[in-house]
PDB file of all heavy atoms in Angstrom:
ATOM      1  N   PRO A 231      23.814   5.816  22.337  1.00  0.00           N
ATOM      2  CA  PRO A 231      22.989   6.950  21.919  1.00  0.00           C
ATOM      3  C   PRO A 231      23.580   8.273  22.409  1.00  0.00           C
ATOM      4  O   PRO A 231      24.065   8.355  23.536  1.00  0.00           O
ATOM      5  CB  PRO A 231      21.652   6.683  22.609  1.00  0.00           C
ATOM      6  CG  PRO A 231      21.675   5.260  22.983  1.00  0.00           C
ATOM      7  CD  PRO A 231      23.084   4.859  23.157  1.00  0.00           C
ATOM      8  N   GLY A 232      23.567   9.280  21.568  1.00  0.00           N
ATOM      9  CA  GLY A 232      24.133  10.574  21.948  1.00  0.00           C
ATOM     10  C   GLY A 232      23.073  11.490  22.523  1.00  0.00           C
ATOM     11  O   GLY A 232      21.881  11.331  22.278  1.00  0.00           O
ATOM     12  N   LEU A 233      23.527  12.427  23.347  1.00  0.00           N
ATOM     13  CA  LEU A 233      22.619  13.432  23.902  1.00  0.00           C
ATOM     14  C   LEU A 233      23.293  14.788  23.727  1.00  0.00           C
ATOM     15  O   LEU A 233      24.081  15.210  24.554  1.00  0.00           O
ATOM     16  CB  LEU A 233      22.352  13.118  25.385  1.00  0.00           C
ATOM     17  CG  LEU A 233      21.434  14.071  26.146  1.00  0.00           C
ATOM     18  CD1 LEU A 233      20.032  14.045  25.585  1.00  0.00           C
ATOM     19  CD2 LEU A 233      21.422  13.702  27.620  1.00  0.00           C
ATOM     20  N   PHE A 234      23.016  15.424  22.622  1.00  0.00           N
ATOM     21  CA  PHE A 234      23.592  16.739  22.299  1.00  0.00           C
ATOM     22  C   PHE A 234      25.104  16.767  22.498  1.00  0.00           C
ATOM     23  O   PHE A 234      25.653  17.748  23.000  1.00  0.00           O
ATOM     24  CB  PHE A 234      22.951  17.846  23.140  1.00  0.00           C
ATOM     25  CG  PHE A 234      21.466  17.817  23.087  1.00  0.00           C
ATOM     26  CD1 PHE A 234      20.718  17.585  24.230  1.00  0.00           C
ATOM     27  CD2 PHE A 234      20.792  18.008  21.879  1.00  0.00           C
ATOM     28  CE1 PHE A 234      19.340  17.541  24.174  1.00  0.00           C
ATOM     29  CE2 PHE A 234      19.423  17.968  21.818  1.00  0.00           C
ATOM     30  CZ  PHE A 234      18.692  17.738  22.964  1.00  0.00           C
ATOM     31  N   GLY A 235      25.765  15.674  22.173  1.00  0.00           N
ATOM     32  CA  GLY A 235      27.221  15.647  22.244  1.00  0.00           C
ATOM     33  C   GLY A 235      27.806  15.641  23.635  1.00  0.00           C
ATOM     34  O   GLY A 235      29.012  15.813  23.815  1.00  0.00           O
ATOM     35  N   ILE A 236      26.952  15.427  24.671  1.00  0.00           N
ATOM     36  CA  ILE A 236      27.473  15.369  26.034  1.00  0.00           C
ATOM     37  C   ILE A 236      28.182  14.036  26.237  1.00  0.00           C
ATOM     38  O   ILE A 236      27.692  12.995  25.805  1.00  0.00           O
ATOM     39  CB  ILE A 236      26.342  15.508  27.072  1.00  0.00           C
ATOM     40  CG1 ILE A 236      25.603  16.823  26.851  1.00  0.00           C
ATOM     41  CG2 ILE A 236      26.876  15.398  28.501  1.00  0.00           C
ATOM     42  CD1 ILE A 236      24.325  16.950  27.640  1.00  0.00           C
ATOM     43  N   ASP A 237      29.351  14.055  26.869  1.00  0.00           N
ATOM     44  CA  ASP A 237      30.046  12.816  27.196  1.00  0.00           C
ATOM     45  C   ASP A 237      29.429  12.209  28.445  1.00  0.00           C
ATOM     46  O   ASP A 237      29.211  12.900  29.428  1.00  0.00           O
ATOM     47  CB  ASP A 237      31.537  13.103  27.463  1.00  0.00           C
ATOM     48  CG  ASP A 237      32.328  12.971  26.176  1.00  0.00           C
ATOM     49  OD1 ASP A 237      31.854  12.225  25.281  1.00  0.00           O
ATOM     50  OD2 ASP A 237      33.377  13.614  26.056  1.00  0.00           O
ATOM     51  N   MET A 238      29.173  10.885  28.367  1.00  0.00           N
ATOM     52  CA  MET A 238      28.573  10.248  29.539  1.00  0.00           C
ATOM     53  C   MET A 238      29.402   9.038  29.930  1.00  0.00           C
ATOM     54  O   MET A 238      29.943   8.343  29.074  1.00  0.00           O
ATOM     55  CB  MET A 238      27.144   9.801  29.224  1.00  0.00           C
ATOM     56  CG  MET A 238      26.145  10.928  29.324  1.00  0.00           C
ATOM     57  SD  MET A 238      24.477  10.345  29.078  1.00  0.00           S
ATOM     58  CE  MET A 238      24.465  10.071  27.344  1.00  0.00           C
ATOM     59  N   ASP A 239      29.479   8.766  31.237  1.00  0.00           N
ATOM     60  CA  ASP A 239      30.127   7.526  31.665  1.00  0.00           C
ATOM     61  C   ASP A 239      29.130   6.380  31.511  1.00  0.00           C
ATOM     62  O   ASP A 239      27.969   6.595  31.139  1.00  0.00           O
ATOM     63  CB  ASP A 239      30.634   7.648  33.108  1.00  0.00           C
ATOM     64  CG  ASP A 239      29.498   7.962  34.068  1.00  0.00           C
ATOM     65  OD1 ASP A 239      28.384   8.246  33.566  1.00  0.00           O
ATOM     66  OD2 ASP A 239      29.723   7.953  35.282  1.00  0.00           O
ATOM     67  N   LEU A 240      29.578   5.177  31.825  1.00  0.00           N
ATOM     68  CA  LEU A 240      28.737   3.999  31.615  1.00  0.00           C
ATOM     69  C   LEU A 240      27.424   4.101  32.391  1.00  0.00           C
ATOM     70  O   LEU A 240      26.343   3.849  31.857  1.00  0.00           O
ATOM     71  CB  LEU A 240      29.503   2.739  32.037  1.00  0.00           C
ATOM     72  CG  LEU A 240      28.778   1.428  31.730  1.00  0.00           C
ATOM     73  CD1 LEU A 240      28.580   1.254  30.239  1.00  0.00           C
ATOM     74  CD2 LEU A 240      29.536   0.262  32.328  1.00  0.00           C
ATOM     75  N   ALA A 241      27.524   4.507  33.661  1.00  0.00           N
ATOM     76  CA  ALA A 241      26.323   4.585  34.492  1.00  0.00           C
ATOM     77  C   ALA A 241      25.338   5.595  33.922  1.00  0.00           C
ATOM     78  O   ALA A 241      24.145   5.307  33.772  1.00  0.00           O
ATOM     79  CB  ALA A 241      26.704   4.969  35.921  1.00  0.00           C
ATOM     80  N   GLY A 242      25.853   6.763  33.573  1.00  0.00           N
ATOM     81  CA  GLY A 242      24.986   7.808  33.032  1.00  0.00           C
ATOM     82  C   GLY A 242      24.328   7.346  31.748  1.00  0.00           C
ATOM     83  O   GLY A 242      23.123   7.518  31.539  1.00  0.00           O
ATOM     84  N   SER A 243      25.123   6.724  30.899  1.00  0.00           N
ATOM     85  CA  SER A 243      24.606   6.289  29.618  1.00  0.00           C
ATOM     86  C   SER A 243      23.564   5.188  29.788  1.00  0.00           C
ATOM     87  O   SER A 243      22.581   5.125  29.048  1.00  0.00           O
ATOM     88  CB  SER A 243      25.783   5.850  28.758  1.00  0.00           C
ATOM     89  OG  SER A 243      25.410   4.914  27.862  1.00  0.00           O
ATOM     90  N   THR A 244      23.773   4.324  30.792  1.00  0.00           N
ATOM     91  CA  THR A 244      22.793   3.263  31.042  1.00  0.00           C
ATOM     92  C   THR A 244      21.449   3.869  31.443  1.00  0.00           C
ATOM     93  O   THR A 244      20.390   3.462  30.946  1.00  0.00           O
ATOM     94  CB  THR A 244      23.280   2.332  32.166  1.00  0.00           C
ATOM     95  OG1 THR A 244      24.550   1.819  31.809  1.00  0.00           O
ATOM     96  CG2 THR A 244      22.308   1.185  32.379  1.00  0.00           C
TER      97      THR A 244
END
Side-chain angles (χ1 to χ4, degrees):
Chain A
L233 179 64
F234 309 117
I236 302 169
D237 269 335
M238 279 185 286
D239 59 351
L240 186 63
S243 152
T244 304

